[in-house]
Amino acid sequence: MDSSSSSSSPSPSAVAARAADAGRYTFSPKLRWQPEVEEYFAAAYGRDRFARISEALAHPSRYSCIRVNTLKSSTDAVMHKLMDLVCENGLCDGINGMEIVGGDQPHEKSSLVQKCPSADLENVLFVQGSGPHVLNYNSQPDQSVKEVIVSRKCAESVLRGAQVFVPGVLACSSHVEKGDKVAVSVAIEQPVKDGGWAVGITRGTVLQGLQSDVHYEERKGLYIGKGTAAMSRSGIFRVPHGIAVEMTERVYKLPSFNDVLEGEIFLQNLPSVVAAHVLDPQPGERILDMCAAPGGKTTAISILMRDKGEVVALDRSHNKVMDILKLASEMDLSCIKAYKLDALKSVRKTDEATNVGMGDSHCEAIKTLAEDSGPCHVTVDVRATNVNEESSTTVVQSDDKNPESRRYVSKAELRKNLRRMKNGPGRNNCSGGRVEKSKGFFPNSFDRVLLDAPCSALGLRPRLFAGEETLESLKTHAKYQRRMFDQAVKLVRPGGVIVYSTCTINPGENEALVRYALDTYKFLSLVSQLPKVGGPGIVGSCELFNKTYTEEWLTEHEAELVQRCLTTANSWQGCQLSASCQVDDVCQVPSPKIILLDKSHGGEGTAALTP
């Protein structure tokens, strides 16, 4: 009896190995920071609060936020369509067949898709996901687990619902064939001898399933799911693109919205939606979105204006401007004009007015500039199928602004024009198509300005590594944003509005910029804003760089006029800061309102200022 029971029970070594595997094949990331940055944030938020923020940043949100295009549909109609899609796939399946409910009991379909509780955000819906899930990676104990190691950025995308694509694969077990089940883990940057950070994996490394494997200990607790190999190991490291692993089981299950209600909905983080609402654009106004790509807030502004007026969208990247135009077309928005322009060069020098036929009045100059910088759309009716053919066939070219004006273009001229077109991708990485460039705009040209400034992005979720940022780099981000803000102040008209936004939890890019705006431009003062979905900003100051520099934040009164929604492990909205500023104008002219907004998934902030 005793011998029988002893023979059937697992050996102590097997029990220990199983326990080790249970701790290994989990997802419990710990976000790493530079020590001085960690101390800085601990001083700003409090050590316990920052620890909770840091933990939450390493995990994705369990909700997807959807903005409804109310010009093409209604929130209720979209909600019913999404629920019908859920129902078609079964109550336990989400959009596009992805399970999005948690626990063992299925939710009612009405609980999967919910309206935003804020009455000021009636065009927002939330679709529920689930996680973290505990997965069984070693379904065949007699065989070693076949594994794939992916880069950090690839893993962050997978946690948000993407597949594993070829460029993201760093290492793979030997003898992996198409159709094999593989465990997917992530390689996070590690400290190196020179004081920096590096992954330390040569792409194509072979994994043997042994403790001698690269990053074996470092990958403990960093398994993000299981999948099926879409190609063999040799194929993964031979082809330049394509899906390497199709994820079948995920630590976090989020709904996919690929090709779902195209043009009617847009997947967008809640703070970005809030930024557009805080701007409060009105029909007929002229709005500037200074760093507009990929166009989410640009289209949100246009919809709030009922597509009446003009929304000028800027970005310095050719491809990103193309993305903005594509999204505007998809949503059937005609009031958006997108230009390729660096936001730091948004203000056109007034002494250039003579070059564009500046009139006697300032308003005439602005009108002339708008006409001068407007895009010229040309339609080409090609009468020949091949421009290289030796034929006298010509093409007809007409101007959209004057459809009656038509002229014939020779093939030689057409070939010359084709050579000029960016049919990318080439050396400049253009994706094809042409975009309009702008030389900038005169001061006081816009009713409202949105500046979604490039930032350290330390509020984006999920984020698995933050050690690349130092105090010096954070300070550099803040300087860059101040230069952009200076441009925004010049471009907004008296009585207008500016909204400034970032996606970082760094107070130096949020509260400190509000402090800079108030101290530099005395005509600005903070005002309240709607909708307000967060708490107050950070009060006080912090001494940095061995107490050689003091970063000033907000007073208690000012902090109440901004909103910061700090993320927790169970929240969907991330962190947001808002502040509004109003200007006293000695000339009795209505002062522009400037709104500064920090919109990170993990940390978001907005601030509204009015000159």
Side-chain angles (χ1 to χ4, degrees):
M1 180 75 173
D2 292 339
S3 62
S4 171
S5 97
S6 64
S7 62
S8 61
S9 62
S11 64
S13 60
V15 173
R18 204 170 298 158
D21 283 348
R24 176 175 182 77
Y25 296 109
T26 60
F27 183 68
S28 52
K30 180 177 175 57
L31 192 56
R32 304 184 71 167
W33 306 82
Q34 291 283 0
E36 66 272 17
V37 173
E38 188 169 1
E39 288 301 315
Y40 166 55
F41 287 153
Y45 293 101
R47 197 165 299 278
D48 291 342
R49 190 183 185 192
F50 175 63
R52 294 194 299 271
I53 294 171
S54 184
E55 179 183 0
L57 286 174
H59 297 264
S61 169
R62 289 203 291 263
Y63 287 84
S64 295
C65 179
I66 294 174
R67 173 172 57 82
V68 177
N69 182 356
T70 52
L71 298 183
K72 298 184 70 173
S73 186
S74 67
T75 304
D76 288 331
V78 169
M79 185 174 181
H80 287 300
K81 289 179 182 179
L82 291 175
M83 289 192 296
D84 288 342
L85 288 172
V86 172
C87 196
E88 288 174 8
N89 291 308
L91 291 180
C92 292
D93 292 330
I95 310 301
N96 280 354
M98 180 174 290
E99 183 181 350
I100 60 176
V101 300
D104 297 328
Q105 298 298 323
H107 291 244
E108 294 296 331
K109 64 178 181 178
S110 59
S111 68
L112 299 178
V113 184
Q114 301 176 357
K115 289 185 178 180
C116 180
S118 173
D120 297 311
L121 298 170
E122 295 179 348
N123 62 331
V124 174
L125 295 173
F126 296 115
V127 181
Q128 180 184 348
S130 63
H133 297 277
V134 178
L135 306 180
N136 178 19
Y137 290 89
N138 195 0
S139 56
Q140 297 178 320
D142 56 327
Q143 299 180 9
S144 61
V145 179
K146 292 185 177 182
E147 298 190 30
V148 168
I149 302 178
V150 301
S151 66
R152 170 176 56 88
K153 290 187 177 181
C154 175
E156 290 170 350
S157 297
V158 171
L159 288 170
R160 292 193 295 266
Q163 304 292 355
V164 175
F165 287 85
V166 165
V169 178
L170 297 179
C172 179
S173 296
S174 59
H175 308 301
V176 169
E177 300 295 336
K178 181 178 180 180
D180 286 353
K181 300 294 183 181
V182 295
V184 180
S185 62
V186 53
I188 305 295
E189 290 86 340
Q190 302 295 324
V192 294
K193 293 181 180 179
D194 63 359
W197 302 81
V199 175
I201 296 180
T202 302
R203 190 169 189 271
T205 297
V206 178
L207 302 177
Q208 302 293 346
L210 305 174
Q211 294 188 12
S212 58
D213 280 344
V214 62
H215 275 223
Y216 183 84
E217 289 298 327
E218 290 82 353
R219 287 184 288 117
K220 181 178 180 180
L222 291 176
Y223 284 78
I224 59 176
K226 297 169 60 177
T228 302
M231 56 183 72
S232 65
R233 172 191 160 79
S234 60
I236 290 175
F237 296 111
R238 185 175 64 245
V239 301
H241 50 75
I243 295 178
V245 179
E246 294 182 354
M247 300 299 295
T248 56
E249 297 183 54
R250 300 171 183 265
V251 173
Y252 282 90
K253 298 177 180 179
L254 302 174
S256 170
F257 294 94
N258 291 332
D259 302 323
V260 174
L261 302 182
E262 186 174 311
E264 293 186 59
I265 64 173
F266 184 75
L267 192 64
Q268 188 171 26
N269 295 309
L270 180 64
S272 295
V273 181
V274 171
H277 279 266
V278 170
L279 185 64
D280 193 26
Q282 300 299 314
E285 291 184 331
R286 193 178 191 216
I287 311 294
L288 174 64
D289 191 351
M290 290 181 67
C291 303
K297 288 176 292 300
T298 306
T299 55
I301 292 169
S302 303
I303 292 171
L304 291 174
M305 297 170 61
R306 312 300 299 174
D307 203 24
K308 298 177 181 179
E310 181 183 8
V311 180
V312 176
L314 307 179
D315 202 278
R316 65 181 183 179
S317 165
H318 174 279
N319 288 352
K320 290 182 179 180
V321 174
M322 292 293 294
D323 291 340
I324 296 170
L325 294 172
K326 180 180 177 182
L327 181 60
S329 175
E330 179 183 304
M331 296 193 138
D332 292 334
L333 298 172
S334 60
C335 71
I336 296 174
K337 296 183 179 180
Y339 300 98
K340 181 181 178 181
L341 178 67
D342 189 340
L344 291 175
K345 302 176 182 178
S346 300
V347 179
R348 187 165 185 169
K349 296 180 181 178
T350 54
D351 57 7
E352 295 179 12
T354 55
N355 297 330
V356 294
M358 179 175 178
D360 295 333
S361 69
H362 188 63
C363 293
E364 291 179 4
I366 295 174
K367 181 179 179 181
T368 305
L369 173 65
E371 294 173 351
D372 179 70
S373 60
C376 177
H377 302 283
V378 175
T379 302
V380 178
D381 177 17
V382 182
R383 300 282 181 85
T385 58
N386 190 341
V387 296
N388 293 319
E389 293 177 358
E390 293 299 331
S391 169
S392 60
T393 307
T394 57
V395 298
V396 179
Q397 186 174 11
S398 64
D399 192 330
D400 285 350
K401 295 181 179 179
N402 187 7
E404 300 301 323
S405 174
R406 301 168 68 86
R407 68 185 182 92
Y408 286 92
V409 183
S410 67
K411 281 194 170 181
E413 185 177 350
L414 181 59
R415 284 195 294 267
K416 184 178 179 180
N417 290 336
L418 287 176
R419 286 195 296 269
R420 288 176 179 172
M421 291 181 64
K422 297 180 176 69
N423 287 327
R427 291 183 180 179
N428 59 359
N429 247 348
C430 289
S431 59
R434 304 191 70 172
V435 299
E436 296 297 325
K437 296 181 180 180
S438 173
K439 296 180 180 180
F441 306 90
F442 286 120
N444 307 327
S445 296
F446 296 93
D447 298 291
R448 301 169 196 266
V449 176
L450 171 62
L451 171 55
D452 184 20
C455 65
S456 57
L458 292 178
L460 297 180
R461 301 174 61 188
R463 171 175 283 275
L464 300 178
F465 177 72
E468 73 274 16
E469 292 291 350
T470 64
L471 286 180
E472 192 61 44
S473 67
L474 292 179
K475 188 176 180 181
T476 300
H477 288 304
K479 289 180 179 179
Y480 188 61
Q481 292 152 0
R482 290 181 182 187
R483 292 173 59 195
M484 288 191 174
F485 185 80
D486 293 337
Q487 299 275 303
V489 173
K490 296 176 182 178
L491 290 171
V492 69
R493 67 164 178 80
V497 174
I498 301 175
V499 172
Y500 169 85
S501 61
T502 69
C503 53
T504 180
I505 63 172
N506 176 24
E509 300 172 71
N510 297 321
E511 284 87 353
L513 190 135
V514 180
R515 176 83 278 135
Y516 163 79
L518 296 175
D519 292 346
T520 304
Y521 302 99
K522 299 299 182 181
F523 49 85
L524 299 180
S525 60
L526 287 170
V527 297
S528 58
Q529 55 185 294
L530 289 174
K532 188 168 184 178
V533 297
I538 299 176
V539 176
S541 62
C542 183
E543 294 182 338
L544 302 171
F545 304 107
N546 296 322
K547 299 184 178 181
T548 60
Y549 170 75
T550 301
E551 184 176 273
E552 298 289 344
W553 298 328
L554 303 177
T555 65
E556 290 187 4
H557 173 68
E558 292 166 346
E560 290 297 327
L561 292 173
V562 307
Q563 54 177 325
R564 177 181 283 276
C565 310
L566 290 176
T567 185
T568 65
N570 297 319
S571 71
W572 42 262
Q573 70 267 38
C575 154
Q576 175 174 359
L577 159 73
S578 291
S580 283
C581 222
Q582 183 159 13
V583 178
D584 299 323
D585 195 328
V586 295
C587 299
Q588 304 295 321
V589 178
S591 306
K593 179 168 45 175
I594 313 233
I595 300 170
L596 303 109
L597 173 64
D598 159 27
K599 347 159 297 309
S600 32
H601 308 189
E604 286 281 344
T606 65
L609 300 159
T610 304

